[in-house]
Amino acid sequence: MLILGIETSCDETAAALVEDGAILSNVISSQIDLHARYGGVVPEIASRKHVEAIGYVIREAFDTARRRPSQIDGIAVSARYGLIGSLVVGVAAAKSLAYALKVPLVGTHHIEGHIFAPILSHPGIPMPHVCLTVSGGHTMLVHVKGPCRYEVMGNTVDDAAGEAFDKIAKFLDIGFPGGPAIDRLALKGSRTAFDLPRPLVRSRSLDFSFSGLKTCVVNMFRDRPPEGLPLPDVAASFQEAVVDVLVSKALQAAERKAVSAISVTGGVSSNRRLGEAFQEACGRRGLAVFFPLPDLRTDNAAMVAAAGTARLAQGEVSGLDLNAVASAPLESLR
Ligand code: KG4
Ligand code: ZN
């Protein structure tokens, strides 16, 4: 099955062609440079830039894959979860093409796309498994019972982990997006320099909270200029606190569901220290751990095509009345 995936939920305009698990093209037009001067994604700008880019990005996805629109068997689009003005652009493009080409359309959940990134990267990944999906918009532990069958085990009660990275980086004035900036700076620092809290790490709940940790870092600078503390040490200690919590909760979730594998996905799964810590912890417990291929860690459309392929294979099709929804529970798709 040759599926066109479309992703516009935040600040990446993306289109991909995936055929029976093989990625033929994966085109991403990033708006990062446009938003960097504001220190965060400006929804209105994001939406307008998607309108400008979407046609070119879809065309490039076909050109790179050396396929024609008439050859596709279906279209999958991120229709739920994200910035509403951004989502509607991808949904409108997907509906127009599905109508013109007379092919089935399927709306997917953005987080479901992230869950499919490690599945697309490692076809042998065991089912069921536990997935930690962690990005700028969400931090979630999901029991993946089978393709498109999910139980959410934990969620953030305030900031997403990536959002905490972005806000701390903005506060320290070290760049946008904050995750990669902190990741780089932390390489030069000591992760034990500051003893920061590990929020909810001892609680039985699998929920996360990163807002207090963020405040704690900001308070360390109270009454002193940012250069008053060694920034690489602050970055490394903050990163270590986030990584400890993410690894510890994912291991608890895996133990509770007695699964043999964990997948880690979403933008924050690019973090070097997170990768290292998961390999160490899972290695000690005999658990397998799967990360997406590097290009599939942050937002992309290949993961959307993979999720859509699974939904279409189950006979699910969306009507041309498909609407973008900014906030919808993952389980609402079952
Ligand atoms: O999945 P994604 O591209 O978009 C959302 O769905 O939000 O994730 C973007 C997030 C941002 O918060 C960014 O700072 C974070 O992922 N991120 C990282 C790293 N690379 C991206 N966080 C920590 N370390 C990284 N290397
Ligand atoms: Zn995302």
Side-chain angles (χ1 to χ4, degrees):
M1 216 173 357
L2 177 64
I3 302 298
L4 168 68
I6 297 178
E7 160 64 47
T8 61
S9 68
C10 189
D11 60 340
E12 327 276 7
T13 316
L17 280 170
V18 173
E19 187 168 39
D20 303 325
I23 303 170
L24 305 187
S25 61
N26 186 25
V27 180
I28 302 168
S29 167
S30 174
Q31 306 174 0
I32 281 180
D33 294 344
L34 280 170
H35 300 286
R37 77 186 76 154
Y38 304 102
V41 176
V42 183
E44 179 60 30
I45 296 178
S47 165
R48 270 188 275 133
K49 288 292 158 189
H50 284 309
V51 174
E52 284 173 21
I54 188 78
Y56 296 105
V57 167
I58 292 173
R59 177 175 293 227
E60 197 179 323
F62 279 104
D63 289 349
T64 309
R66 295 178 187 280
R67 296 298 162 97
R68 290 184 307 279
S70 59
Q71 293 176 297
I72 61 173
D73 300 301
I75 299 178
V77 60
S78 272
R80 297 178 201 192
Y81 205 80
L83 301 172
I84 190 70
S86 290
L87 285 167
V88 292
V89 179
V91 170
K95 289 202 285 195
S96 318
L97 276 175
Y99 178 69
L101 297 169
K102 298 187 176 54
V103 293
L105 168 74
V106 67
T108 67
H109 195 291
H110 179 70
I111 297 178
E112 175 173 51
H114 280 301
I115 293 171
F116 267 87
I119 299 172
L120 180 60
S121 305
H122 310 280
I125 193 167
M127 288 282 181
H129 63 263
V130 159
C131 176
L132 170 70
T133 170
V134 57
S135 78
H138 66 276
T139 302
M140 212 180 251
L141 273 165
V142 182
H143 184 210
V144 184
K145 301 180 196 173
C148 313
R149 288 179 50 237
Y150 313 113
E151 176 196 342
V152 175
M153 302 178 71
N155 213 330
T156 183
V157 296
D158 42 53
D159 288 355
E163 186 181 359
F165 271 96
D166 293 336
K167 287 179 176 168
I168 291 296
K170 188 173 181 183
F171 173 73
L172 300 178
D173 197 20
I174 56 169
F176 172 82
I182 289 185
D183 193 345
R184 278 191 301 273
L185 190 61
L187 287 175
K188 297 182 236 152
S190 155
R191 25 187 219 257
T192 53
F194 299 99
D195 187 18
L196 293 169
R198 271 61 174 159
L200 298 181
V201 85
R202 293 216 172 75
S203 138
R204 263 199 58 76
S205 150
L206 292 172
D207 284 341
F208 301 91
S209 166
F210 294 106
S211 150
L213 170 62
K214 187 187 68 193
T215 309
C216 195
V217 173
V218 171
N219 284 345
M220 281 169 27
F221 288 89
R222 199 186 281 158
D223 302 329
R224 35 177 145 192
E227 59 277 15
L229 289 173
L231 296 193
D233 287 349
V234 174
S237 302
F238 162 74
Q239 178 176 271
E240 194 64 13
V242 175
V243 165
D244 263 3
V245 174
L246 294 176
V247 172
S248 149
K249 295 273 177 194
L251 291 175
Q252 279 183 54
E255 194 176 314
R256 256 181 235 183
K257 294 296 178 188
V259 293
S260 62
I262 295 177
S263 68
V264 188
T265 184
V268 181
S269 70
S270 309
N271 186 270
R272 275 169 277 207
R273 177 64 195 138
L274 186 71
E276 224 174 71
F278 261 110
Q279 297 292 356
E280 281 167 19
C282 289
R284 276 200 304 275
R285 286 166 180 78
L287 283 170
V289 61
F290 296 90
F291 285 79
L293 297 168
D295 286 351
L296 303 187
R297 293 181 186 185
T298 45
D299 289 350
N300 67 87
M303 67 185 194
V304 178
T309 303
R311 290 200 168 269
L312 288 168
Q314 293 180 0
E316 190 181 318
V317 178
S318 306
L320 289 177
D321 56 352
L322 176 69
N323 261 331
V325 180
S327 173
L330 181 61
E331 287 105 326
S332 69
L333 284 168
R334 266 184 308 189

